[in-house]
Amino acid sequence: MTGTAIISALAIWGAGWFINARLAKSAAANTRLVKLLVPAIFGLTLLIMWELLVRLLEISPIILPPPTMIAERFANETPTLRADFQQTIIKGAMTGYVVGMFAAFAIAVLADRSDFLTRGILPVGGFMAALPIVGIAPIFVRWLGSDWESKAAVVAVMVFFPILVNTVAGLRDTTAMQRDLMRTYGAGYWPTLFKLRLPAAMPFIFNGLKIATTLALIGAIVAEFFGSPTVGMGFRISTSVGQLALDMVWAEIVVAALAGSAFYGLMAWIEGRVTFWHPSQRK
């Protein structure tokens, strides 16, 4: 049975590889449809191999449930998954992300105007960014309670420093000639900031924003392990593991992966519209 499972899995992998290779070499390789088909076929190949190996090798669902079981649980628990999504992603992650983002922008502008503040806050930012979430999450839960407010605070701290460091670096990414030209036009600090330095910093800023998207989701979910009401993705994962309901755990993971991909994609889309002039956006 093991040999049959391995041979079948290799056959499926070979079929997917062959189809993707043909698509990549076709005349339509650079079209939008083919660019979407190639990763879709790759992902479908992995899912079919997963299903086949679990079924043929008779792996217990307690260890690794097949994708069909996860999909069934996903369909049956849609109201629960929706409530968990709203609690963790919308309330916890998104609120913390917005608060951390605006706080980082404000401090970055203040640091940009003060060399003393810049030299002081960046090393502290590096130190704070290295703090483990398992250390700060229980503290915020104790301070702010077990509801989504404490999770938003954890997320705000996690996203604050990556955005801050990238924004400060971006604001300094202008040439002396550009700054001299603005002074020649009689522009003060604020006109120079909004018309020269902030546009030039946008690639750096969006780099920090995209990094922060994944940190926000991780922070909100992990923080729920240290205290939450009876709703939320972290709470559901923790309790489902204790109940050996691994299909529910994987359903929550699917929701988190979809939300994270959509959030990152949104930031990348906005970046493309804002920094269309940058060489990285040219095709």
Side-chain angles (χ1 to χ4, degrees):
M1 185 63 71
T2 302
T4 303
I6 294 176
I7 292 173
S8 301
L10 290 176
I12 294 170
W13 176 262
W17 184 289
F18 175 77
I19 294 172
N20 271 348
R22 294 295 299 271
L23 287 173
K25 294 179 180 179
S26 66
N30 292 323
T31 62
R32 183 181 297 271
L33 177 61
V34 172
K35 290 181 179 179
L36 292 175
L37 278 176
V38 170
I41 292 172
F42 179 78
L44 182 61
T45 301
L46 293 179
L47 288 176
I48 295 174
M49 291 175 60
W50 178 357
E51 180 80 24
L52 187 68
L53 289 172
V54 170
R55 297 292 185 184
L56 292 180
L57 296 177
E58 299 180 350
I59 298 175
S60 172
I62 296 176
I63 298 176
L64 182 65
T68 51
M69 183 180 293
I70 298 170
E72 182 179 0
R73 176 59 76 105
F74 192 99
N76 294 335
E77 299 289 346
T78 300
T80 300
L81 294 171
R82 184 185 299 113
D84 292 343
F85 173 83
Q86 292 173 348
Q87 174 74 13
T88 303
I89 305 300
I90 302 300
K91 294 181 180 179
M94 295 303 298
T95 302
Y97 185 90
V98 172
V99 171
M101 175 182 67
F102 281 108
F105 289 161
I107 298 300
V109 173
L110 291 176
D112 182 63
R113 301 206 67 179
S114 170
D115 289 336
F116 173 77
L117 187 58
T118 300
R119 293 175 183 176
I121 200 169
L122 291 184
V124 173
F127 172 79
M128 293 295 294
L131 291 178
I133 183 175
V134 295
I136 63 174
I139 296 174
F140 281 104
V141 170
R142 177 68 64 179
W143 287 351
L144 302 175
S146 60
D147 209 346
W148 63 268
E149 291 87 353
S150 58
K151 317 308 179 293
V154 172
V155 171
V157 171
M158 290 188 67
V159 306
F160 174 81
F161 293 104
I163 298 175
L164 172 66
V165 171
N166 279 276
T167 302
V168 170
L171 291 175
R172 297 177 180 274
D173 190 48
T174 53
T175 65
M177 183 178 295
Q178 291 171 327
R179 295 191 295 271
D180 289 342
L181 181 61
M182 294 299 293
R183 283 194 290 268
T184 300
Y185 291 150
Y189 175 81
W190 294 108
T192 302
L193 176 68
F194 287 109
K195 295 182 179 180
L196 171 64
R197 304 179 69 211
L198 196 58
M202 281 301 167
F204 291 84
I205 293 174
F206 276 103
N207 184 51
L209 291 175
K210 289 188 292 185
I211 293 172
T213 57
T214 56
L215 293 177
L217 299 182
I218 294 171
I221 293 173
V222 174
E224 289 184 343
F225 291 164
F226 299 94
S228 67
T230 57
V231 65
M233 299 176 71
F235 166 81
R236 197 74 55 196
I237 291 172
S238 179
T239 56
S240 296
V241 168
Q243 297 167 355
L244 301 181
L246 269 295
D247 52 347
M248 187 62 181
V249 174
W250 279 99
E252 293 283 0
I253 292 173
V254 169
V255 173
L258 292 175
S261 299
F263 194 12
Y264 185 92
L266 176 62
M267 286 294 107
W269 181 82
I270 297 174
E271 179 186 20
R273 298 301 181 274
V274 175
T275 62
F276 59 89
W277 48 269
H278 195 263
S280 64
Q281 301 298 328
R282 297 171 188 168
K283 297 181 180 179

